[in-house]
Amino acid sequence: MAEASVTTAPAIATTLRRLAPGVLLSALVAVLAVIGAPWVARVIPIPAMVLALLIGIALNTVAARPAFQPGFVFCVKTLLRWAVALLGLRIALGDIAALGLGTGIVVVVSMAVTILAGFLAARAFGLPAPYGALAGVGTAVCGASATLATSVVLPDYKGKDADVVFVVVAVNALATLGMVLYLPLDAALGFDGQTTGVMLGATIHDVAQVVGAGYAVSELAGNTAVIVKLFRVFLLLPVVLAVGWWFARKGAAHRAAKVPVPVFAFVFLGLCILNSVLPSVAAVAPLYAKIKAMLVEASTDGLLIAIGALGLGTSVSAIGMLGWRHIATVGATTLVILLVATGGLILLH
């Protein structure tokens, strides 16, 4: 036992030294994004996560050195998985259940149709199926976080990193556009505060824009929009499992893949359940609240570092090679979720 610990310690130290340059540079990008986001917001509302991605891309030439690459891989693969898993602490199943069956059906159907639309649009425009999955899931679930989580279970292919970066930027841009355009649409349709909140939460891609749009209407609309959005985030688990199974099944047919086991997705579900139970247990609720706050912050930090690493590993020229077909695919999924969700709400009311 003593010999094992002696041999393990140097191995761990070697691994840490190998990962440190890339991880530290990714963390620096995350810090710069957090500091810069309030200043940038005075001109244009760009979330810190997207700003981290853009800063990383700008520093790609500096980050191209081989010493940084192991750390980048660790951030985009391992750190990302656990940051996504910790998102489960933001969701309480009771709040989701309070939405009602009709609202739940509208949200689930609109998400399913949107993911399918991603695959169909990618095929129609001659793009690879994994890009359709990125566009569909990023639009249907929760923007950047869902895009990153989906990338984990997709097979590797040429241009994958550039596709992930593009979808993250595109869904954020379209979510920001939705903040401006959807509020007049809700007013024109005569939606009340609660229905407006459902519509915003069911159609806008990123959480930040959902919050901004919802509370710009009223507290009721804001609260409802956030709950609906968290319901979409909760569905990240079955979506990631389904997408991973689909590509593994196709890959197995060509002897190119094995069935993935996304442990992080099951941890996500377990944390959702804990977050639904522990706050009501008086004996542990205060301690749980403190631990939850720290872990939620760790999740946000982890996502920022991971997306910074993704940007650092992506060249501007690689993104520049993406053409109108990539834009059209994300645009199509955005239009689909808007039409299906809004149409469903009109039928309900």
Side-chain angles (χ1 to χ4, degrees):
M1 183 68 70
E3 291 182 5
S5 62
V6 170
T7 56
T8 301
I12 293 175
T14 300
T15 300
L16 291 176
R17 283 195 298 270
R18 187 169 57 89
L19 298 180
V23 173
L24 291 175
L25 182 57
S26 301
L28 175 61
V29 168
V31 170
L32 291 175
V34 171
I35 294 173
W39 295 91
V40 174
R42 297 180 180 182
V43 180
I44 182 172
I46 298 179
M49 189 176 294
V50 176
L51 187 58
L53 179 63
L54 297 177
I55 293 172
I57 294 172
L59 296 176
N60 171 255
T61 53
V62 176
R65 300 172 184 173
F68 292 116
Q69 303 314 308
F72 293 162
V73 172
F74 170 80
C75 291
V76 174
K77 300 293 185 181
T78 304
L79 179 61
L80 170 62
R81 285 175 168 88
W82 296 107
V84 171
L86 290 174
L87 287 175
L89 288 170
R90 305 184 185 198
I91 301 166
L93 302 182
D95 292 335
I96 293 173
L99 292 173
L101 181 60
T103 298
I105 291 174
V106 168
V107 173
V108 171
V109 170
S110 62
M111 289 176 64
V113 173
T114 300
I115 294 169
L116 178 61
F119 282 102
L120 295 177
R123 177 184 294 181
F125 294 126
L127 297 173
Y131 179 77
L134 291 169
V137 177
T139 302
V141 183
C142 56
S145 299
T147 304
L148 294 171
T150 303
S151 70
V152 173
V153 298
L154 293 179
D156 290 329
Y157 64 94
K158 185 178 180 180
K160 178 180 176 181
D161 285 350
D163 282 353
V164 173
V165 167
F166 181 84
V167 172
V168 169
V169 173
V171 294
N172 176 75
L174 290 169
T176 302
L177 186 63
M179 286 179 63
V180 178
L181 299 181
Y182 291 178
L183 296 182
L185 175 61
D186 288 331
L189 292 171
F191 287 169
D192 60 19
Q194 183 167 358
T195 307
T196 295
V198 173
M199 184 271 194
L200 296 174
T203 57
I204 295 179
H205 311 329
D206 280 316
V207 175
Q209 284 87 341
V210 168
V211 171
Y215 286 106
V217 177
S218 66
E219 185 174 351
L220 173 62
N223 291 342
T224 304
V226 170
I227 292 171
V228 172
K229 184 61 183 178
L230 291 179
F231 178 41
R232 290 168 67 191
V233 175
F234 173 72
L235 294 177
L236 179 65
L237 169 66
V239 168
V240 167
L241 291 175
V243 169
W245 172 83
W246 172 257
F247 281 99
R249 171 178 160 275
K250 289 181 64 179
H254 297 87
R255 297 180 182 179
K258 58 183 180 180
V259 178
V261 181
V263 176
F264 74 95
F266 292 104
V267 174
F268 173 94
L269 177 60
L271 292 176
C272 288
I273 295 172
L274 284 178
N275 193 47
S276 303
V277 175
L278 292 184
S280 61
V281 181
V284 299
L287 176 61
Y288 171 72
K290 294 178 181 179
I291 295 175
K292 174 184 173 180
M294 290 188 293
L295 292 178
V296 167
E297 182 63 30
S299 173
T300 301
D301 294 344
L303 287 172
L304 281 167
I305 293 171
I307 203 166
L310 180 63
L312 287 164
T314 305
S315 67
V316 175
S317 60
I319 300 173
M321 293 176 64
L322 304 178
W324 65 268
R325 297 178 300 169
H326 285 73
I327 299 173
T329 300
V330 180
T333 56
T334 298
L335 183 61
V336 165
I337 198 167
L338 173 63
L339 293 176
V340 176
T342 304
L345 290 173
I346 291 172
L347 291 176
L348 280 179
H349 298 83

